[in-house]
Amino acid sequence: MENVCIPMHVDAFALCPDNCNGESKIAPITQPNYTGLRLDSHLIQHDVLDHIDFHYASPAELNPRLSDLGSNPRRFKFNRMGIHLSWSLPRLYRTAKVTDTKSDPNSKKDNSSPVYRPIPNRWLVTRHLHPKSYKPDNADIPEFQSWIIESDVIRKITEIPDTVDLETDVSPFVAYTGDANAPDALKAQAEIFLGQKLDLSGWREGDQSRKHTKLTIMNSSNPLFPDYALHNTNVLSMIDNFAYKKDPKDTDFQYLTQAAADYYVVGWHSDGGDDPLMQSQQDALSDRLTPLLLQLDTGTDTQPDSKAKNLASQKDATRCVSHAAIYNVQYNQATKQRSIADEAARKFTAEVKMEPLSLGTTPLDGILTFLEAHQKDVETIFGQGTKNLASEILNLSQLLYATADDYDARVKAQDLISQQNFSKTDGGFQWSFSGRALPGGSPATPSTIPDPKSHKSDVDYLRDLNEAQRKLDLGTRKLKLLQWELFAEWWKYVSEFIPDLKKIQRRSDYKAVVDPLIKAIKDLQALCGSLQASVLDLSGKVSCKKSSRNPYFQRTDPSLCIAGLDSGWPDDFMDRLFVHGEHQFPDDTTAVNNIYQRNLDPLPTDHGLQATIKKVLAQCLRNSDTQNITKTSGFQSWSGRNPFIPLFIEWESTYYHIDINKWDVALRPSPVGHPSSQFRYGPRVNLAGDPANQADARKLSGRVLVLPQPVFSLEATVFQVLNIDPSDPNLTTQQKQIVSDIRKFKFISAPLSGLTSHLLTRSEGGHVKPNVRTQGEKVIPLGAAIAASQDIDLDFNALKLIDAESALTPYGSLMDFGKMNYPGFPFKGVTHGQMLFTKLNIVDKFGQAICLGPPGNKPRLRHPTGQPTTNVFPCLSDYLAPTVLNGQLNTVFPSGPPGQAGGDWPLCQFAQLTPSINQDARINSAFLLRDPLPGGQFSAWREASDFEQPIWGWIIINYADYGLQFFLADGTFYREIRLGGPDDNDVSQKWLPFDPPPAGSGLAESLQLDQLIDQIHKEPKYLQSFFDIINKAIATMPFPPSEYSGFANAVVGKPLALVNVGWSLELSQPAIKPQNSLGNRSPDPQKDLESYKFPVRIGDVERTFDGVVGYYLTANNSSRTATDFKTVFTYFEPSAKTDSFRYLSPDSPPENYPTLSPYYIQPETTLNVTAAHASKYLITTALIDPYTSVHAYSPILPTKALKLPAWTVQSAFDRMSAFFRLGPSLVTQDVPTSYEEAKRGAVLRLPISGRKGLWRWHQPYDTNPLDVNALPQYAALEVEEDQGKVKFEEAPYTFVEGFLQLMGRLGKADLEMN
């Protein structure tokens, strides 16, 4: 079976001294300092990779990368100059696979751990030097020269010859030998290097003098390793310095001063067992390629490749070869080539009105922000033809979420877009009854009949199951936090310098924290194990199904977007990559003999690899005229310029913490001019006028990888909305123009990872960990880590408890927050402040950099003072722009009026970080119920199950009688109150004109209804105001679904539901604790966090897709008078002014909004977590549209929506009937004279239309003539349609007065008749 050829992307960079002269900079080599992995307080580091120091990046004579600083006069290091070649691994080597989600606790294997595939470890690199292109032209250098790069060669520093440059000939590496107890497992890491370049001539596979290691992209523990050429030299990149010798006997090399060359790169696995196509031979080749994100090129419909199609179905063993070629690469030692980095850096100079930067909450938000801010000058950045497309993209950003192109749909879309500003984490699980429900009816209801043996019903089992699951979820999340806290104590101990005189005391201090932590982790592990068994047992005792609860959220760190820069990644990087069979390459490989220079071919013959590689090289020799630059075809042109391929950004900023009491919440307009207002935070005082706002300042920094996804996401979004397939040959001219123009939008993006971590006194970066994990196995504590911490009881078993929860390090003594200079708490459990950039270094894969701000190392000043001097002015997103107060940007230092950059966009260096909890949290919402207890009392509030009716009443405006009709949850009529009478309103007796329901039913429901009706009745103007808000609300509500017209009550008015809704703010874990050893620390971070009161807005008049008419506040207890019906909060202003109606206008003061405080339920000590959660609810008794969701709008978390299940509405409407008072009406036939006679049956003719049985007349009869207070009885009479003939009948006539009722559902004929 033939082998498969996988194309790669390769980049080439020509480096010479002149590269240091320009707007961009050449980064000195900064390698990972693996000495920082040693458990020595003087050496250990939170991040083994320091920020790059650009102080001496230019001139070239001062740059240590290019110049020997120890020589006098300075000498250039020409061995480091020439062509830097770097190839990008296909995505199949960048993604991990998980074999199983569960692991055997008795096995050292961990099937749930992601496993990365071994990368190709043998690379043939061939240089084809163009004849007559090089100088000196008499240099004795071959036309073809080839090297073999053994990527997996591992050597200690003592094994490396002195002639090897440790910075450019090898790559620093972390190697684990498999022995966790090796005494030098950590100390030796600073002395291990990876990779070796060998001449092809004389190379043979299997040389025993070279040691090798299994290599994946994650082996080095360096996230930059796969793509940063300065960290993977002779592993995934190499330097061709054009060295040659004038005489073979010479010891020193000479270097070409000018050259042009082509480069071919071919890679393979030396061990066939590592080849991804050899690992599942039972599958057809096409099935093996699919999970590898690959696809065999089988030709087109018009020109199919039958051999390729046959190859796709083969199941035989095969191998893969990765290949790339780049042509016409130019080098001149005296003059640099055209520099894309310089061209990009010029956009950040003073000549540009606004830097091509934007700061958004997400990468896509950053892109849209930039396009919106630069609508008037977008073509100057991206080229002609992009202005109109930019406008279309901005519209699409909302239409993607909207269902219609109208104002309401766009407002809803804007709300949905804002929810993308948060990251999600698992919210746990819940169980529901899985019995079969009748179509269109209520869900299946579990049995309440106890089992004779267990004495428990299905309802009991389901309740116990959800209780166990909820407690298990709480315990699992808390366990991870405790594991990290145990690691934090280990880290702080091993990194702290402790004088001998204080060791006993400090060890005692640490033990006082460590020992309870160890016990808590073990207890929680036991509890979770027991709960897991309970869940498994209980789920088998009742018919049930498992579903996910709503996730927890945390606001993401802002994302930086840079416009006008190509990401450097191939345009098709995120696409499934097309690969080829070797038959699709030339059979004639004669020309390849020139590459081997008459030497025997040393390449492996396993599975025909040697022949395959020859065919690939033959194709490389033929494709030198390619013009491809951006596609992953395996063949590309260098195109006469040094590329700029941004890889990571190093940033620093100053954060100013603003007291929470200086913020308030209101329905504020967009600071950047968006049409819809949002419920958001903003400072309510002039910040620059108070020096206290500048006092709590922190220096933050981080390093983040540049992502290619934002541009790909933008492109995919546009194509999705416009239904465009770029590969479709039948695209219209307009569609082709869109496909062409969108590629002109060049963006790179990176989240400012580390910002929140710093505020939590945690640090990100590569660091030593107490446990080591071999890929696919469980963690094992290192012997060195045990020895360093066993004095504080962190032995083998204790360190194993940490598991893998060691990604971040605690500050410990990293920063000195002196109490004199920093009187506050460095730890910020909640962000509320402003920040500005003090440094931005955009570094590419070859070490080219665009630097904003003064060059420098990570600052040691942790408490900056004075007004910052930075000049970085990004375009700020709607969610990050400072508010405007009195015509000025309200910032901690004076910023003046909002500036513009050729438009209306605010120009400001300060980004506003509104209050947000710095850990995962969520807003819970639920419909609540109370169960009646003996003595007229009620149980505590609880969440309604999905099979329980959450509605406790209905209200319908009876326009005919100008009254309100009240119904119970099931649609049974309860009472009516009408305008008029001596008290401004008149309340009917209960149930009339119907018979009362059986005694004892609906006690809790009728109690709340009674309280509401009593409040309406006893306060003048209350009923009129109630009318007003309902009428105004209905006028703005969306139309009900079409099936609503079939219900009888549709004739009278739209029913509104009365519900009890609970809202709460839950933390996923206990409050995070401060981790700074130096400076002030809060004694109770949980209490600090719970002291925050975050306002929420229940409903919104501007959002017609919200169903809240008004709401009352209800106490969360079992009192009979729990609801405060004296005050109704509503967004609809009544015409009749009354103190009972709290009108929530757009400028309502913050105290009009209810608040939520964060809470956490401890799983170990809480007897009933379900009840504990319910006790935390803020309860609103709301009047809502039953067809529309109700929302809680929060400025700190995504909007929370809650909607009534359809069955709750339908079951009530089926019972509910429309009726109204009528009379006196003149009829020609008298009604029966007694109630008993009427019950035997009678017919009344009225001038109404409708089929027989559609209407019913309720005629009152006096039950006790001697008692004026006795209630009448109503007899139901049939109604016949009067067709106008009654006026000709003879007298006597009779006046009747009663109730006319519309019966049942209206059919199509009834609707057409009416």
Side-chain angles (χ1 to χ4, degrees):
M1 182 175 173
E2 60 183 284
N3 294 321
V4 174
C5 303
I6 304 175
M8 297 186 303
H9 189 80
V10 64
D11 296 292
F13 170 64
L15 177 63
C16 69
D18 191 39
N19 285 95
C20 295
N21 302 321
E23 288 80 0
S24 64
K25 297 183 181 295
I26 298 297
I29 296 176
T30 303
Q31 292 185 326
N33 179 18
Y34 290 128
T35 304
L37 299 176
R38 297 182 181 180
L39 299 180
D40 184 322
S41 61
H42 298 288
L43 300 175
I44 193 170
Q45 292 182 224
H46 291 73
D47 187 357
V48 296
L49 184 58
D50 290 327
H51 277 212
I52 299 172
D53 183 359
F54 286 97
H55 272 108
Y56 300 106
S58 61
E61 289 79 5
L62 297 180
N63 191 321
R65 178 175 173 183
L66 287 81
S67 181
D68 184 355
L69 301 185
S71 63
N72 189 12
R74 300 281 170 82
R75 294 194 306 270
F76 285 125
K77 299 177 180 179
F78 289 111
N79 66 300
R80 297 183 174 187
M81 302 183 200
I83 302 301
H84 290 230
L85 205 65
S86 174
W87 47 95
S88 299
L89 289 170
R91 277 203 299 158
L92 70 103
Y93 297 112
R94 299 173 182 268
T95 55
K97 58 181 179 179
V98 176
T99 56
D100 196 358
T101 57
K102 299 180 180 179
S103 289
D104 183 357
N106 300 317
S107 171
K108 71 175 185 178
K109 295 290 185 182
D110 184 2
N111 296 329
S112 63
S113 174
V115 175
Y116 287 84
R117 300 177 180 88
I119 66 173
N121 56 355
R122 296 293 181 270
W123 300 94
L124 170 66
V125 182
T126 296
R127 178 191 68 209
H128 178 202
L129 191 62
H130 294 187
K132 300 182 180 180
S133 70
Y134 56 87
K135 293 182 181 179
D137 51 15
N138 61 349
D140 184 14
I141 190 167
E143 179 181 353
F144 289 94
Q145 187 166 352
S146 299
W147 301 269
I148 288 290
I149 289 180
E150 293 195 3
S151 296
D152 58 348
V153 168
I154 188 169
R155 291 179 286 177
K156 294 183 178 179
I157 193 170
T158 55
E159 300 169 345
I160 300 176
D162 293 340
T163 56
V164 172
D165 188 329
L166 294 180
E167 290 188 321
T168 59
D169 290 339
V170 289
S171 298
F173 190 64
V174 176
Y176 173 56
T177 61
D179 182 5
N181 295 315
D184 62 345
L186 293 176
K187 291 183 178 180
Q189 298 306 322
E191 302 173 353
I192 297 176
F193 294 87
L194 185 70
Q196 187 172 5
K197 180 174 71 173
L198 303 160
D199 285 330
L200 177 63
S201 59
W203 174 82
R204 291 295 180 270
E205 183 65 77
D207 189 332
Q208 298 300 316
S209 65
R210 297 191 291 272
K211 300 176 184 178
H212 301 86
T213 185
K214 287 286 184 182
L215 186 61
T216 72
I217 64 166
M218 299 301 291
N219 277 114
S220 73
S221 300
N222 176 7
L224 304 181
F225 171 75
D227 298 292
Y228 194 34
L230 277 64
H231 287 181
N232 63 22
T233 310
N234 290 336
V235 178
L236 295 172
S237 66
M238 63 159 270
I239 299 174
D240 179 16
N241 53 25
F242 298 105
Y244 68 96
K245 291 183 178 180
K246 288 185 177 180
D247 189 302
K249 298 178 181 180
D250 290 346
T251 57
D252 294 332
F253 286 95
Q254 304 295 317
Y255 303 94
L256 297 182
T257 59
Q258 187 172 322
D262 305 333
Y263 292 91
Y264 318 137
V265 181
V266 184
W268 66 93
H269 296 269
S270 63
D271 182 353
D274 293 335
D275 195 308
L277 295 183
M278 291 285 286
Q279 296 174 2
S280 55
Q281 299 176 29
Q282 69 274 18
D283 297 327
L285 178 60
S286 59
D287 295 329
R288 281 178 273 171
L289 292 175
T290 298
L292 302 178
L293 306 175
L294 304 176
Q295 179 178 346
L296 192 64
D297 185 357
T298 57
T300 63
D301 292 338
T302 56
Q303 293 182 323
D305 187 334
S306 58
K307 287 186 178 181
K309 290 185 177 181
N310 180 61
L311 177 62
S313 63
Q314 296 296 311
K315 296 185 178 182
D316 298 335
T318 187
R319 297 288 300 275
C320 67
V321 170
S322 300
H323 67 92
I326 189 166
Y327 300 97
N328 198 27
V329 182
Q330 305 288 326
Y331 172 68
N332 191 316
Q333 193 180 91
T335 305
K336 67 178 178 181
Q337 304 298 314
R338 175 193 165 196
S339 172
I340 302 299
D342 282 350
E343 295 173 6
R346 291 187 192 110
K347 298 176 182 178
F348 295 87
T349 58
E351 287 74 21
V352 180
K353 292 181 180 179
M354 177 186 276
E355 289 93 342
L357 298 173
S358 64
L359 195 64
T361 53
T362 64
L364 191 57
D365 181 44
I367 289 178
L368 298 175
T369 294
F370 187 87
L371 293 179
E372 191 169 1
H374 286 270
Q375 290 185 75
K376 296 182 179 180
D377 62 346
V378 66
E379 291 191 343
T380 64
I381 301 169
F382 300 112
Q384 292 185 347
T386 55
K387 182 176 181 179
N388 291 336
L389 184 58
S391 299
E392 293 178 19
I393 289 174
L394 292 173
N395 292 330
L396 290 175
S397 68
Q398 295 181 10
L399 291 179
L400 176 64
Y401 298 91
T403 55
D405 187 15
D406 55 33
Y407 175 78
D408 292 333
R410 286 173 178 260
V411 170
K412 187 175 183 179
Q414 193 67 35
D415 290 341
L416 292 173
I417 292 172
S418 69
Q419 296 190 30
Q420 310 305 310
N421 304 342
F422 300 87
S423 60
K424 299 179 183 179
T425 54
D426 173 44
F429 300 95
Q430 61 186 352
W431 297 83
S432 56
F433 190 64
S434 61
R436 178 171 295 181
L438 295 175
S442 60
T445 303
S447 171
T448 57
I449 302 174
D451 179 76
K453 294 182 179 179
S454 65
H455 304 292
K456 288 191 173 184
S457 66
D458 286 349
V459 171
D460 297 327
Y461 281 128
L462 202 58
R463 182 187 62 244
D464 293 346
L465 176 58
N466 275 306
E467 170 70 13
Q469 181 67 60
R470 201 162 196 171
K471 190 173 289 189
L472 175 61
D473 294 336
L474 286 168
T476 302
R477 289 189 293 267
K478 182 177 180 179
L479 181 60
K480 290 182 177 295
L481 178 63
L482 294 182
Q483 289 173 316
W484 184 87
E485 288 181 355
L486 187 62
F487 162 72
E489 295 305 313
W490 175 86
W491 174 272
K492 287 186 285 188
Y493 179 71
V494 299
S495 63
E496 180 181 347
F497 172 72
I498 306 176
D500 291 341
L501 293 177
K502 294 185 177 181
K503 283 186 177 179
I504 295 177
Q505 180 59 46
R506 291 300 291 145
R507 287 171 183 168
S508 177
D509 295 340
Y510 275 102
K511 282 184 179 182
V513 179
V514 167
D515 290 345
L517 263 178
I518 292 174
K519 183 180 185 304
I521 291 173
K522 290 181 177 179
D523 291 347
L524 201 52
Q525 286 178 332
L527 176 63
C528 290
S530 174
L531 291 169
Q532 187 67 60
S534 296
V535 168
L536 184 63
D537 176 58
L538 290 168
S539 61
K541 294 183 176 181
V542 62
S543 179
C544 57
K545 56 185 177 182
K546 189 178 183 181
S547 60
S548 296
R549 291 187 182 272
N550 291 323
Y552 293 95
F553 296 91
Q554 183 178 349
R555 189 172 67 188
T556 56
D557 288 329
S559 288
L560 183 71
C561 281
I562 305 169
L565 288 185
D566 197 321
S567 70
W569 298 88
D571 290 344
D572 54 359
F573 179 76
M574 300 299 293
D575 298 340
R576 192 170 294 277
L577 188 62
F578 278 99
V579 299
H580 302 87
E582 64 179 72
H583 75 273
Q584 294 171 315
F585 290 107
D587 290 326
D588 183 3
T589 61
T590 306
V592 178
N593 294 332
N594 294 326
I595 294 178
Y596 296 124
Q597 300 176 356
R598 298 181 299 279
N599 293 319
L600 293 175
D601 188 348
L603 302 184
T605 58
D606 179 35
H607 278 280
L609 278 178
Q610 187 180 97
T612 303
I613 294 172
K614 279 189 173 182
K615 290 185 175 184
V616 170
L617 291 173
Q619 188 67 50
C620 290
L621 291 169
R622 293 186 178 190
N623 277 28
S624 60
D625 59 347
T626 182
Q627 299 300 311
N628 172 56
I629 299 175
T630 60
K631 295 289 187 181
T632 309
S633 66
F635 311 97
Q636 64 197 74
S637 170
W638 191 62
S639 69
R641 84 283 186 271
N642 266 336
F644 183 68
I645 305 157
L647 182 62
F648 62 94
I649 296 175
E650 293 180 341
W651 62 273
E652 290 177 1
S653 70
T654 301
Y655 168 78
Y656 297 90
H657 197 64
I658 303 169
D659 190 278
I660 189 63
N661 295 319
K662 297 179 181 179
W663 300 77
D664 67 6
V665 166
L667 192 64
R668 285 186 163 91
S670 166
V672 298
H674 287 167
S676 59
S677 299
Q678 286 192 326
F679 191 61
R680 64 174 82 203
Y681 269 107
R684 57 185 175 82
V685 297
N686 180 15
L687 299 179
D690 185 355
N693 299 321
Q694 305 157 9
D696 192 352
R698 290 271 317 270
K699 275 288 186 181
L700 313 178
S701 62
R703 179 188 304 106
V704 289
L705 295 177
V706 170
L707 305 175
Q709 284 86 347
V711 176
F712 299 139
S713 298
L714 177 66
E715 184 176 309
T717 297
V718 174
F719 292 163
Q720 175 187 354
V721 175
L722 298 182
N723 195 25
I724 293 177
D725 179 3
S727 61
D728 185 355
N730 299 317
L731 293 178
T732 65
T733 303
Q734 183 181 11
Q735 289 175 328
K736 290 179 180 177
Q737 189 64 42
I738 291 174
V739 172
S740 173
D741 287 347
I742 200 169
R743 297 287 168 86
K744 297 177 182 178
F745 291 111
K746 304 296 183 182
F747 285 96
I748 63 171
S749 173
L752 298 181
S753 300
L755 189 154
T756 300
S757 296
H758 275 296
L759 295 178
L760 294 174
T761 58
R762 300 179 176 192
S763 182
E764 298 184 359
H767 56 271
V768 64
K769 301 178 181 180
N771 296 325
V772 64
R773 184 199 294 273
T774 299
Q775 184 167 253
E777 297 184 0
K778 296 177 181 177
V779 298
I780 304 174
L782 287 167
I786 298 171
S789 61
Q790 57 189 358
D791 290 338
I792 59 170
D793 296 339
L794 285 174
D795 55 14
F796 177 90
N797 291 325
L799 290 181
K800 200 170 183 180
L801 294 175
I802 295 173
D803 199 41
E805 300 301 318
S806 54
L808 303 177
T809 56
Y811 264 22
S813 54
L814 171 67
M815 301 183 186
D816 184 5
F817 296 99
K819 296 183 179 181
M820 293 295 294
N821 294 328
Y822 200 100
F825 296 136
F827 174 85
K828 312 297 181 188
V830 178
T831 297
H832 35 88
Q834 294 181 345
M835 64 161 281
L836 78 166
F837 288 108
T838 55
K839 183 185 82 172
L840 278 175
N841 294 336
I842 308 162
V843 186
D844 97 321
K845 70 186 303 182
F846 294 110
Q848 300 176 95
I850 299 173
C851 299
L852 280 73
N857 284 315
K858 185 184 295 184
R860 304 311 302 172
L861 181 64
R862 299 305 167 196
H863 182 62
T865 58
Q867 184 160 357
T869 58
T870 180
N871 289 313
V872 181
F873 289 81
C875 306
L876 296 173
S877 162
D878 182 20
Y879 308 102
L880 298 173
T883 52
V884 177
L885 184 67
N886 300 324
Q888 303 285 317
L889 287 168
N890 194 10
T891 54
V892 292
F893 287 97
S895 293
Q900 287 88 30
D904 301 324
W905 207 262
L907 184 62
C908 182
Q909 58 188 350
F910 286 93
Q912 184 161 285
L913 304 178
T914 56
S916 178
I917 300 175
N918 287 333
Q919 63 183 91
D920 293 331
R922 69 182 173 194
I923 295 178
N924 293 319
S925 65
F927 294 110
L928 302 180
L929 298 175
R930 293 187 299 173
D931 299 317
L933 299 175
Q937 296 298 312
F938 299 96
S939 69
W941 291 99
R942 63 176 179 84
E943 297 177 3
S945 301
D946 55 357
F947 52 83
E948 292 182 298
Q949 172 63 273
I951 300 170
W952 57 266
W954 294 91
I955 295 179
I956 297 180
I957 288 187
N958 185 346
Y959 291 101
D961 295 335
Y962 213 48
L964 294 179
Q965 293 180 346
F966 295 85
F967 296 79
L968 296 185
D970 63 355
T972 300
F973 174 75
Y974 183 59
R975 226 167 170 182
E976 183 178 39
I977 182 169
R978 296 190 300 166
L979 278 172
D983 297 323
D984 293 329
N985 59 68
D986 177 54
V987 183
S988 73
Q989 296 296 327
K990 295 180 181 180
W991 317 116
L992 297 181
F994 306 102
D995 295 331
S1001 64
L1003 177 61
E1005 298 164 340
S1006 60
L1007 175 64
Q1008 278 193 295
L1009 276 176
D1010 284 339
Q1011 292 172 341
L1012 175 58
I1013 293 170
D1014 289 346
Q1015 182 63 38
I1016 295 175
H1017 176 58
K1018 70 183 180 182
E1019 182 176 339
K1021 300 183 180 179
Y1022 199 114
L1023 181 58
Q1024 182 60 59
S1025 298
F1026 219 78
F1027 262 95
D1028 292 343
I1029 68 170
I1030 292 177
N1031 282 326
K1032 290 184 178 181
I1034 291 177
T1036 63
M1037 286 178 182
F1039 294 111
S1042 57
E1043 59 265 23
Y1044 169 69
S1045 61
F1047 293 106
N1049 50 44
V1051 174
V1052 180
K1054 185 176 185 178
L1056 299 175
L1058 289 162
V1059 291
N1060 296 306
V1061 185
W1063 313 91
S1064 66
L1065 177 55
E1066 180 193 359
L1067 301 173
S1068 69
Q1069 295 174 322
I1072 293 175
K1073 299 175 182 176
Q1075 297 296 335
N1076 55 298
S1077 299
L1078 305 175
N1080 293 319
R1081 296 180 57 181
S1082 170
D1084 193 345
Q1086 184 75 39
K1087 182 179 179 181
D1088 294 342
L1089 189 53
E1090 291 178 357
S1091 68
Y1092 279 86
K1093 297 184 181 297
F1094 298 103
V1096 290
R1097 184 178 176 90
I1098 311 299
D1100 188 359
V1101 66
E1102 289 194 358
R1103 287 156 171 80
T1104 59
F1105 47 84
D1106 182 87
V1108 175
V1109 177
Y1111 63 88
Y1112 306 89
L1113 295 180
T1114 297
N1116 195 340
N1117 55 44
S1118 57
S1119 169
R1120 289 177 58 90
T1121 57
T1123 305
D1124 178 17
F1125 284 112
K1126 293 181 180 179
T1127 305
V1128 56
F1129 297 86
T1130 180
Y1131 302 99
F1132 306 94
E1133 185 176 14
S1135 57
K1137 302 297 181 182
T1138 171
D1139 294 338
S1140 294
F1141 283 74
R1142 192 76 59 85
Y1143 171 51
L1144 301 175
S1145 63
D1147 55 353
S1148 287
E1151 55 267 23
N1152 277 349
Y1153 299 111
T1155 60
L1156 300 177
S1157 293
Y1159 75 92
Y1160 177 76
I1161 302 297
Q1162 299 288 350
E1164 312 98 309
T1165 56
T1166 305
L1167 184 63
N1168 188 322
V1169 298
T1170 304
H1173 276 293
S1175 69
K1176 299 294 184 179
Y1177 277 121
L1178 165 76
I1179 303 177
T1180 54
T1181 296
L1183 181 65
I1184 66 172
D1185 177 0
Y1187 290 111
T1188 310
S1189 299
V1190 296
H1191 301 81
Y1193 297 93
S1194 166
I1196 66 165
L1197 285 169
T1199 299
K1200 180 65 178 179
L1202 186 66
K1203 188 176 183 180
L1204 287 168
W1207 70 267
T1208 63
V1209 178
Q1210 181 173 321
S1211 62
F1213 284 9
D1214 282 338
R1215 180 190 291 259
M1216 198 179 295
S1217 59
F1219 68 95
F1220 42 86
R1221 295 174 184 268
L1222 191 65
S1225 293
L1226 188 65
V1227 295
T1228 59
Q1229 293 181 342
D1230 197 6
V1231 295
T1233 57
S1234 68
Y1235 177 77
E1236 289 73 16
E1237 182 183 354
K1239 292 292 288 183
R1240 290 194 290 270
V1243 177
L1244 183 68
R1245 289 190 298 178
L1246 292 173
I1248 57 174
S1249 63
R1251 57 179 168 78
K1252 183 178 181 181
L1254 185 64
W1255 295 93
R1256 181 178 293 175
W1257 176 262
H1258 292 269
Q1259 178 66 36
Y1261 288 92
D1262 197 350
T1263 56
N1264 187 354
L1266 301 178
D1267 184 0
V1268 294
N1269 294 319
L1271 297 178
Q1273 284 184 307
Y1274 285 82
L1277 308 180
E1278 288 189 21
V1279 175
E1280 284 187 354
E1281 180 181 2
D1282 174 20
Q1283 298 181 347
K1285 298 180 179 179
V1286 293
K1287 59 185 178 181
F1288 302 110
E1289 295 186 9
E1290 297 181 359
Y1293 296 162
T1294 303
F1295 281 104
V1296 295
E1297 187 173 6
F1299 290 91
L1300 184 63
Q1301 180 185 11
L1302 181 63
M1303 299 297 299
R1305 285 198 177 209
L1306 300 177
K1308 182 177 180 181
D1310 301 318
L1311 297 175
E1312 291 175 350
M1313 184 181 299
N1314 288 278

